[in-house]
Amino acid sequence: MPDRKIVIQKPALTPFNVVAGIIVAVGLIITVIRFTQGLRATTNLSDYNPWGIWIGFDLLVGVALAAGGYVTSAACYIFGLKRFHSAVRPAILTGFLGYALVVLALHYDVGRPWRLPYPFIVQQGTTSLLFEVAACVALYLTVLFIEFTPAALEWLGLKRARSIVAKLTLVLTIFGVVLSTLHQSSLGALFLIAPSKLHPLWYSPYLALYFFVSSIIAGLSMVIFEGSLAHKHFHDKMDAEHLREADGVALGFAKAASWVLAGYFIIKVIGIAQTNAWNYLGSGYGLWFLVEMLGFVLLPCYFYAIGAREKNLKIIRRTAAWTVLGIVVNRFNVGMIAFNYHLPSSERYFPHWMEIGISVFVVTIGILAYKFIVTHMPILYAHPDYDAH
Amino acid sequence: MSISRRRFLGWLSAAGAGTTLGRSAHAAGGTHFTGYPDSLGVLFDATRCIGCRKCEEACNKVNELPAPQKPFSDLAVLEGRRRTDAKTYTVVNRYENVPGAKGPLYRKIQCNHCLEPACASACFVRAFAKNSNGAVTYDESVCVGCRYCMIACPFEIPTYEYDKAFTPRIMKCTFCHPRLLKGQLPGCVEICPAEALTFGKRRNLLKIARERIELFPGRYLDHIYGETEMGGTAWLTISGVPFRELGMREDLGTTPAPELTKGALSVVPVVASMWPVLLTGVYAISQRREKIAREEQAAAVAEAVAKAQAEAKAKHTEAMAKAEKDKKAAIDREVKKALDEAAKAKAQESAAAAAADKKPS
Amino acid sequence: MENVIYTLHDFMLRTESLTYILIVAALCGFIFFWRFLSERDDGRDHLGADRPGGHHR
């Protein structure tokens, strides 16, 4: 192997490392409490509020923000937009880490995590949308793992295994898009069974479609957002191809995101028309709904358009971060804020600090894993020994 | 032979093509279901309940649930608003100052045992079952603890043992399913001193409820809660005041829970089968476009090469021609020179000869 | 009758279970059929096999 290997530095007491270390330590302590004392000791979940941020954030947001993998690989390998090629590997990596962490977080949330394979091997509840989600997430995590392996295999120097995986690229990409379409939409469809609990402004027969379309927006925005962060911190790891294509990726994805946001806005409005929920717009929830629709859909749609027209990367990157926040807002609304809207405030849910602790812990693990992988494996650069696939 | 035929029919009915789909008035439609024909139920008459909490006590006893902090005889707990929890399958709440009512009213809460249970529809390990006797039961041996059933239930009945770290279960009223199988009454029904609970086949209970409403139109509202709510429930309620006054939701609609997810589920196979077709098509088109672009590029290159070659050849020919011409000219020149020289020599020769002739010899 | 279905839930349990089996079969079938469909093409459109080693731009 050529001298692409990076010399491993001794872990220094940088602020980043100190903060990450503290978070991981606290996370591990909460983990012990969670698995010895149960959910009551670590969460504010109740009989009225069975799902908290471990579902609302870790699952719903996590899966949406990990959509960059399927969006980018589809653009490059299926639609033939080869100029996005250098963005595929980082996106696949974030996708893989995202899904792996979603599954990790689910182990905290479900009561008996060792039974998570039961829906597949013991009894199949095929009428449940959660079955569909579980099957697709499990399969897609596998697909993302295989899609990610070329980087690891190049790092390890296993040429033959790597060339076999490279030949599967197209099948994996198509399979990945199918699985993503299904479970991204089904996460929204989970709430279809509870029309009496989700606020009418968010409950819609189109819920599944909303979740799918917004996952495309999330994926595009995450690629831009993550790319700008990577440029800040891992610039030295990027090869000429990556650096040359990076601006084009941001511009192309910004244009696409703006366009999809426009479509998303339209179907959201049509959804309100279909369920005739106009009169709710005047209420407090209506105001919050308008904040989401105008502030986190229409506004980024406009600024993405400006950024793409004027080739202004600064605007694009800030809009990407804002849009990612908008996805968080939307998933929180459906999963927690507009859910159980009918309950008195005393029965409403607010996360326990330990729940937040675990969510932060999981995200931190993701960042650490990302950092390790991009500093060791050919993610931001193409390995000189291998052709691109 | 008969076994294989039976299996074949099973497959047919599984595929929805069978002719034995339920006993229903809409058999031709094939997908209208009216539930188990002789399933049981309970009619709760809110005008009769006296709030004695005897049903709570009986429920606690027959289901061997942990003893509550305050005894069942303590009616002070009726002051607050309670719900089912992991240690309580049923509770009675008191509603005071209800318009149109003379005194306080009471309502018993427990699992309504839906004809199409949302919990069963939502469960991804089939931990819930709708039994033919009407009871919706839960099998803890497969439960993963995702709590989606609690999200799905419109009556907010299932509860969870959040306290347990290793064996948390969903807890909810079983309609005393084990007792029903033994021919006994549910604990609450058996003990009720006010006959607020009437046990029987659901279709008979509907008749009884209608009779009461007809006999005492001043006493009851003309609605049987649970007849159509969420597709119908085994437990039915009649009341003299609007049901919302008793904390019951009136906006649940009549759509059974599985119907709510049917549309989304039916899209799954469409996406799974048409997406690959569509995406492979897009891929093939983009590949083809790329191939054509490559070929056009190759053709352009070939053309340019040919043109260059032709030009070179033309130049070469021209040069050759010029060279030939030059060569010819040179030859001509040489020939001329030679001829000239020869002529000169000849002239000199003849001149010399003439000179010699002139000399006398 | 053992095959009588009384509830929509039971009905959907059967139809959806069969549907999932059909989906898996279809997805596997697609791969083989696409290969069959395009194996005599001039080496470009095969699924997986014979794809150009590099990306062209």
Side-chain angles (χ1 to χ4, degrees):
Chain A
M1 263 180 79
D3 286 335
R4 196 73 212 212
K5 238 181 171 175
I6 278 76
V7 182
I8 299 161
Q9 292 157 346
K10 277 182 200 161
L13 281 177
T14 60
F16 173 82
N17 285 349
V18 171
V19 172
I22 292 170
I23 291 172
V24 170
V26 172
L28 290 175
I29 294 168
I30 303 174
T31 304
V32 171
I33 301 173
R34 156 66 186 92
F35 288 107
T36 54
Q37 312 279 304
L39 287 163
R40 176 84 75 209
T42 41
T43 68
N44 279 347
L45 298 177
S46 66
D47 291 328
Y48 278 121
N49 302 287
W51 285 358
I53 59 166
W54 289 349
I55 296 294
F57 178 76
D58 297 31
L59 176 67
L60 298 185
V61 174
V63 166
L65 296 188
Y70 89 87
V71 171
T72 314
S73 56
C76 176
Y77 295 129
I78 296 175
F79 292 86
L81 302 170
K82 295 288 159 71
R83 66 202 152 97
F84 298 143
H85 184 265
S86 65
V88 172
R89 270 199 187 179
I92 294 280
L93 172 65
T94 349
F96 170 57
L97 288 176
Y99 277 88
L101 296 172
V102 163
V103 173
L104 174 70
L106 281 179
H107 283 77
Y108 286 82
D109 184 76
V110 303
R112 306 193 199 194
W114 50 93
R115 285 183 175 179
L116 274 172
Y118 273 30
F120 314 119
I121 57 175
V122 176
Q123 236 171 218
Q124 294 77 27
T126 46
T127 56
S128 172
L129 277 154
L130 198 60
F131 176 81
E132 207 270 320
V133 170
C136 285
V137 168
L139 283 171
Y140 189 48
L141 180 61
T142 314
V143 166
L144 278 169
F145 175 73
I146 301 172
E147 284 189 306
F148 161 72
T149 50
L153 294 171
E154 287 171 19
W155 178 53
L156 298 168
L158 300 170
K159 292 196 181 189
R160 187 171 299 168
R162 188 265 186 206
S163 77
I164 292 171
V165 178
K167 276 185 183 165
L168 293 172
T169 303
L170 181 67
V171 184
L172 290 174
T173 305
I174 291 179
F175 200 36
V177 176
V178 171
L179 292 171
S180 294
T181 309
L182 291 177
H183 72 262
Q184 293 283 5
S185 55
S186 293
L187 279 177
L190 283 182
F191 295 91
L192 285 177
I193 204 164
S196 58
K197 295 186 183 177
L198 184 58
H199 192 278
L201 282 171
W202 283 272
Y203 186 92
S204 160
Y206 295 149
L207 255 177
L209 184 67
Y210 292 161
F211 266 56
F212 172 60
V213 175
S214 57
S215 84
I216 299 174
I217 299 162
L220 294 167
S221 300
M222 266 308 273
V223 170
I224 303 173
F225 177 62
E226 180 212 321
S228 67
L229 289 181
H231 267 267
K232 213 181 243 175
H233 301 289
F234 302 104
H235 197 272
D236 55 321
K237 301 284 181 302
M238 295 173 176
D239 65 2
E241 185 201 351
H242 193 103
L243 292 172
R244 191 174 54 245
E245 289 183 1
D247 291 358
V249 169
L251 288 171
F253 277 34
K255 189 175 176 184
S258 176
W259 191 234
V260 181
L261 275 163
Y264 180 64
F265 183 78
I266 303 290
I267 55 169
K268 286 288 271 190
V269 174
I270 289 174
I272 298 298
Q274 288 271 304
T275 50
N276 201 26
W278 300 108
N279 54 326
Y280 293 100
L281 287 175
S283 66
Y285 276 105
L287 201 65
W288 181 233
F289 181 78
L290 287 175
V291 168
E292 186 194 321
M293 291 311 296
L294 302 177
F296 292 102
V297 179
L298 216 49
L299 197 71
C301 174
Y302 172 73
F303 276 108
Y304 265 140
I306 296 297
R309 272 168 62 95
E310 297 179 356
K311 316 243 177 298
N312 187 329
L313 290 172
K314 206 169 172 185
I315 292 181
I316 288 174
R317 283 173 185 159
R318 285 180 183 178
T319 310
W322 187 251
T323 313
V324 167
L325 183 65
I327 296 294
V328 177
V329 168
N330 173 257
R331 298 305 194 257
F332 272 36
N333 281 343
V334 174
M336 293 174 286
I337 296 169
F339 191 81
N340 275 341
Y341 73 104
H342 61 290
L343 291 180
S345 57
S346 59
E347 298 293 349
R348 297 301 304 274
Y349 163 84
F350 191 83
H352 192 278
W353 72 266
M354 288 201 215
E355 291 181 79
I356 301 173
I358 287 298
S359 290
V360 173
F361 168 67
V362 166
V363 172
T364 308
I365 291 180
I367 294 170
L368 292 175
Y370 180 88
K371 203 176 162 219
F372 174 83
I373 291 170
V374 292
T375 45
H376 290 84
M377 298 180 196
I379 302 294
L380 300 173
Y381 58 90
H383 197 290
D385 288 3
Y386 300 89
D387 279 337
H389 59 96
Chain B
M1 184 70 187
S2 68
I3 290 168
S4 70
R5 184 171 170 272
R6 185 181 292 172
R7 186 169 293 166
F8 174 70
L9 287 174
W11 274 95
L12 271 185
S13 83
T19 51
T20 52
L21 297 174
R23 254 181 242 166
S24 86
H26 306 265
T31 50
H32 183 81
F33 301 93
T34 47
Y36 291 97
D38 287 330
S39 69
L40 302 166
V42 171
L43 173 65
F44 171 69
D45 190 332
T47 64
R48 294 185 179 182
C49 182
I50 54 168
C52 64
R53 298 187 68 210
K54 285 272 191 287
C55 52
E56 289 186 34
E57 187 173 6
C59 176
N60 179 278
K61 211 172 100 194
V62 302
N63 289 298
E64 291 163 4
L65 297 169
Q69 285 177 328
K70 290 177 187 168
F72 287 105
S73 54
D74 181 1
L75 296 184
V77 296
L78 292 171
E79 302 291 327
R81 188 71 76 243
R82 296 179 301 146
R83 60 155 292 158
T84 55
D85 62 40
K87 292 170 182 138
T88 326
Y89 288 168
T90 185
V91 291
V92 174
N93 275 333
R94 181 166 65 195
Y95 299 86
E96 305 211 53
N97 305 321
V98 177
K102 286 179 196 107
L105 291 170
Y106 302 90
R107 201 239 320 178
K108 181 180 179 299
I109 303 171
Q110 76 298 307
C111 176
N112 286 321
H113 299 275
C114 303
L115 302 186
E116 300 286 354
C119 51
S121 178
C123 183
F124 70 162
V125 280
R126 268 192 281 146
F128 291 94
K130 176 74 179 173
N131 295 275
S132 57
N133 64 5
V136 177
T137 51
Y138 161 75
D139 174 9
E140 63 161 294
S141 70
V142 292
C143 179
V144 181
C146 71
R147 307 186 296 284
Y148 187 32
C149 49
M150 297 165 70
I151 293 280
C153 178
F155 304 108
E156 295 164 332
I157 292 304
T159 67
Y160 200 60
E161 293 183 311
Y162 289 106
D163 292 318
K164 289 193 179 171
F166 303 105
T167 56
R169 295 169 295 175
I170 291 287
M171 301 295 279
K172 88 168 188 59
C173 159
T174 63
F175 205 167
C176 285
H177 183 60
R179 287 171 61 89
L180 290 185
L181 291 181
K182 281 188 268 176
Q184 295 170 302
L185 287 171
C188 53
V189 175
E190 195 176 57
I191 205 158
C192 181
E195 288 183 30
L197 298 171
T198 312
F199 177 85
K201 286 182 182 169
R202 185 177 182 269
R203 53 185 159 87
N204 293 338
L205 294 176
L206 284 169
K207 280 183 208 151
I208 293 170
R210 275 195 207 101
E211 273 170 24
R212 284 190 204 170
I213 292 169
E214 254 171 61
L215 278 172
F216 308 101
R219 186 170 175 174
Y220 296 103
L221 284 179
D222 188 10
H223 183 76
I224 306 168
Y225 193 100
E227 184 180 12
T228 57
E229 273 76 9
M230 291 302 288
T233 57
W235 280 63
L236 307 164
T237 304
I238 48 174
S239 157
V241 297
F243 293 92
R244 63 176 173 277
E245 302 290 351
L246 302 177
M248 300 163 85
R249 294 194 66 170
E250 293 175 338
D251 58 348
L252 297 179
T254 58
T255 313
E259 201 78 56
L260 292 167
T261 50
K262 212 177 166 195
L265 280 171
S266 70
V267 176
V268 170
V270 176
V271 170
S273 45
M274 286 321 286
W275 243 221
V277 170
L278 209 67
L279 294 172
T280 314
V282 171
Y283 166 77
I285 291 167
S286 81
Q287 282 292 298
R288 181 151 186 80
R289 191 169 292 158
E290 227 174 74
K291 191 180 156 198
I292 290 170
R294 262 199 310 276
E295 280 171 359
E296 279 176 354
Q297 202 180 11
V301 169
E303 199 184 335
V305 168
K307 201 177 163 196
Q309 276 175 346
E311 267 171 25
K313 203 178 170 191
K315 230 177 227 167
H316 178 75
T317 323
E318 204 176 295
M320 284 295 280
K322 195 167 172 261
E324 197 85 346
K325 217 168 144 190
D326 289 352
K327 204 174 162 189
K328 210 180 160 204
I331 291 168
D332 286 350
R333 216 164 35 241
E334 290 301 312
V335 170
K336 205 177 165 213
K337 209 168 143 195
L339 285 175
D340 283 354
E341 272 169 23
K344 227 185 227 168
K346 210 177 178 180
Q348 276 173 354
E349 228 170 74
S350 56
D357 282 346
K358 271 180 191 169
K359 274 180 192 172
S361 41
Chain C
M1 286 268 294
E2 56 184 319
N3 280 329
V4 176
I5 300 173
Y6 290 104
T7 61
L8 175 60
H9 175 243
D10 270 354
F11 173 77
M12 283 176 66
L13 205 55
R14 297 202 190 186
T15 54
E16 287 300 321
S17 301
L18 181 60
T19 302
Y20 276 108
I21 295 169
L22 289 176
I23 289 173
V24 173
L27 286 174
C28 296
F30 271 141
I31 296 177
F32 292 104
F33 186 59
W34 179 255
R35 293 199 74 136
F36 169 75
L37 198 61
S38 48
E39 67 184 347
R40 294 201 182 164
D41 293 359
D42 42 2
R44 287 287 170 197
D45 295 345
H46 291 218
L47 259 189
D50 299 331
R51 291 200 58 240
H55 55 287
H56 306 264
R57 75 168 87 71

